[in-house]
Amino acid sequence: MARTWRCSGLRWTPRGPVLAWDGGRHSALPWGKRVAFAVAADAVRGCVGARGHACPVRAAVPGRSTGARCEECARLDRAHSVAADTIADDPRPYHVYLAWFGPGMVKVGITAVERGPARLLEQGAVCFSWLGTGPLMAARRTEELLRAALGVPDRIPYADKRAVRSSLPASADERAAEVRALHARAAVLEAWPESLAPEPCRPVDHAEPFGLSGGPAVVVGDVAELVPGGLVSGELAAAAGPDLHLAVAGRGVVVLDTRLMTGWELAPPSSPADGFTVPVRELKRRQEGLF
């Protein structure tokens, strides 16, 4: 097997998505690029550790895990995390946002103001708008207010997001409609935290940065896991959140969640042909809305 690398995940930059590799190397991902790699035949997926530190026991982790961490490292990684709600004293200002992923799929969330829209790109939000800005705990209370008063979720499973990307509305105005409607309902709620400054509804559309503005491609399935000796190869058609949409001639588009790549030893494939020899599950179409 040729020299191997370990992937540390997909990153979103002002120039588009890139794959990051241990050691600081990055691979740009322009549309149409061939994304191809093979898993070493004798590879064992290893825990990626926590907060910049290697796993002390070098534990093996399951191929289907999107976190690529053993139980202890996962616990340590979430022990001081805004996302896990284990920090209450972060002095930074936070945005509250409404994010839309497809018809009937709007969620509320928070992100540090200094991060800008990065969190929305990482989650695969096709459209979003800021709702307000304020201290961390005020932002958290606003999240809870929208959940309790309007039934707005704060999480949407990635499988549901993938299932609707092939049937998104064609125009930016249509994609923003549910965000606008929910923003208007949220703005008139009572009991808003006094320290949270409301923001006007200004939808931001990510269809073009994600490569989805030219019309949806037919997605036939998604990679369930990588396996020793497995091959992934296809032409990059789109990307959203951690997902790469890879087109394979004669088959259609298969979605690869790049979080499944972490912890594996990966190398260039020995064959130039496109295709997958890793488990791919048929994509289940989502029929009903959330509301």
Side-chain angles (χ1 to χ4, degrees):
M1 174 69 75
R3 180 184 174 187
T4 60
W5 290 269
R6 285 181 177 265
C7 182
S8 54
L10 186 68
R11 306 283 185 268
W12 284 91
T13 75
R15 295 171 300 282
V18 301
L19 279 175
W21 305 90
D22 288 2
R25 180 172 169 259
H26 292 81
S27 300
L29 294 170
W31 310 136
K33 178 176 181 174
R34 181 172 177 256
V35 176
F37 61 85
V39 183
D42 59 351
V44 175
R45 193 184 191 198
C47 174
V48 297
R51 302 197 168 274
H53 300 285
C55 177
V57 297
R58 299 182 180 180
V61 293
R64 293 181 181 240
S65 166
T66 54
R69 290 186 173 90
C70 67
E71 185 176 341
E72 181 62 16
C73 285
R75 184 187 67 79
L76 291 173
D77 191 63
R78 295 178 68 82
H80 193 69
S81 165
V82 171
D85 203 14
T86 54
I87 297 178
D89 57 353
D90 188 339
R92 297 176 298 172
Y94 275 78
H95 277 309
V96 183
Y97 62 79
L98 297 174
W100 182 88
F101 301 91
M105 300 173 109
V106 187
K107 63 157 279 188
V108 61
I110 69 171
T111 184
V113 169
E114 65 188 35
R115 295 207 68 208
R119 179 65 176 152
L120 286 305
L121 291 164
E122 292 166 358
Q123 293 184 71
V126 179
C127 177
F128 82 93
S129 176
W130 305 128
L131 183 63
T133 306
L136 173 60
M137 295 313 294
R140 283 292 190 210
R141 288 196 296 273
T142 306
E143 268 192 311
E144 181 56 37
L145 174 64
L146 264 67
R147 286 198 297 267
L150 301 179
V152 185
D154 64 347
R155 286 179 176 82
I156 293 177
Y158 277 101
D160 289 350
K161 300 175 189 179
R162 295 180 190 118
V164 297
R165 283 193 202 131
S166 293
S167 56
L168 296 175
S171 73
D173 283 345
E174 290 176 285
R175 294 191 291 269
E178 289 184 72
V179 169
R180 293 185 188 278
L182 185 57
H183 192 289
R185 294 175 63 198
V188 297
L189 288 175
E190 297 181 358
W192 268 60
E194 292 183 2
S195 55
L196 192 90
E199 296 201 24
C201 186
R202 292 178 180 146
V204 176
D205 192 81
H206 284 157
E208 184 172 347
F210 287 163
L212 301 171
S213 58
V218 177
V219 177
V220 297
D222 63 324
V223 173
E225 63 179 319
L226 302 186
V227 294
L231 170 71
V232 169
S233 181
E235 182 180 290
L236 184 63
D243 294 343
L244 300 182
H245 291 221
L246 303 179
V248 180
R251 182 171 188 176
V253 173
V254 175
V255 176
L256 169 65
D257 185 337
T258 54
R259 296 175 299 173
L260 298 175
M261 297 171 63
T262 56
W264 285 107
E265 293 182 5
L266 306 175
S270 57
S271 168
D274 285 349
F276 292 77
T277 61
V278 296
V280 174
R281 57 197 164 204
E282 182 181 353
L283 192 68
K284 294 181 179 179
R285 304 296 171 186
R286 183 176 176 275
Q287 300 295 332
E288 73 285 352
L290 292 181
F291 303 103

